[in-house]
Amino acid sequence: GRFAGRVLIAGRDTRSHRPYDLAGIVGTAFQEPAARFVTRSVSDELAFGLEAEGLPGDEIGARVRATIERLNLGPLVDRPLDQLSGGEQQRVAVAAAMMREPRVLVLDEPTSQLDAESARGVLDWLRDLCRDIRLTTVISEHRLARLLPEADRVVGLGPGGVLEAWGAPDDVIPRLAYGP
């Protein structure tokens, strides 16, 4: 593939900073969380990035416990990651992405592997979470109808990643070649 252009995150050029260095600013979660887990348990998955950062064990433990409580993950803690539903796995992936307390959360099709009910549950949980902690969330999604009621802004990309439109959903959606 071709790599062109320049992306700055909080003034840091993504070409000269490692993803690890940017993870404290932007957290990411992808559409198949189970394929990206590096541990077997919820607590270990949440702690992994903080351990890699070299934080002291007592601070890691406190942050893991606080995240489990804040994000209502208590019922999942004692279950292996591979025994969680798709929606539960997505919640753990988002929680793990947030452990370094980023200012922005980027989600790549967080509901693509979920049935309608599970997708709604994940999106409702994300909406409440982002409002509670005032977190900017950027979501890449093909099925826009689920997200539009909650979106402040919509970005439409055309062939080759060319920016076609940017703005309020009611202004952007009619200008796109495809609908929600």
Side-chain angles (χ1 to χ4, degrees):
R2 290 185 359 220
F3 189 72
R6 185 172 177 211
V7 175
L8 298 176
I9 298 175
R12 298 177 187 172
D13 191 318
T14 59
R15 289 185 180 208
S16 59
H17 288 81
R18 300 175 311 183
Y20 175 81
D21 296 329
L22 301 171
I25 302 166
V26 177
T28 57
F30 299 94
Q31 63 181 320
E32 294 183 29
R36 302 199 188 266
F37 289 146
V38 294
T39 70
R40 293 182 172 197
S41 77
V42 173
S43 295
D44 290 346
E45 193 67 25
L46 297 179
F48 181 79
L50 301 177
E51 290 169 346
E53 190 175 342
L55 292 180
D58 57 338
E59 184 177 343
I60 292 171
R63 285 174 69 174
V64 166
R65 286 188 298 278
T67 297
I68 289 168
E69 183 177 326
R70 183 177 73 215
L71 303 183
N72 300 315
L73 298 176
L76 309 181
V77 170
D78 294 326
R79 295 170 49 205
L81 288 169
D82 64 356
Q83 292 181 14
L84 300 179
S85 71
E88 291 167 337
Q89 289 179 348
Q90 194 60 263
R91 289 175 59 198
V92 172
V94 169
M98 294 180 54
M99 289 304 296
R100 293 187 62 199
E101 301 174 347
R103 293 182 271 176
V104 177
L105 180 62
V106 176
L107 304 173
D108 178 26
E109 299 193 60
T111 64
S112 68
Q113 305 294 318
L114 306 179
D115 62 46
E117 183 179 336
S118 297
R120 183 77 261 147
V122 166
L123 292 175
D124 288 347
W125 178 78
L126 281 168
R127 179 201 59 230
D128 294 345
L129 170 67
C130 294
R131 284 183 182 163
D132 289 348
I133 63 174
R134 301 186 53 81
L135 179 69
T136 297
T137 307
V138 178
I139 301 176
S140 171
E141 180 64 66
H142 287 91
R143 294 178 283 180
L144 299 177
R146 294 177 178 170
L147 298 173
L148 289 176
E150 304 296 333
D152 297 321
R153 297 277 181 257
V154 173
V155 175
L157 300 177
V162 174
L163 180 65
E164 287 186 0
W166 158 263
D170 290 343
D171 297 334
V172 172
I173 296 303
R175 296 177 21 214
L176 299 177
Y178 44 85

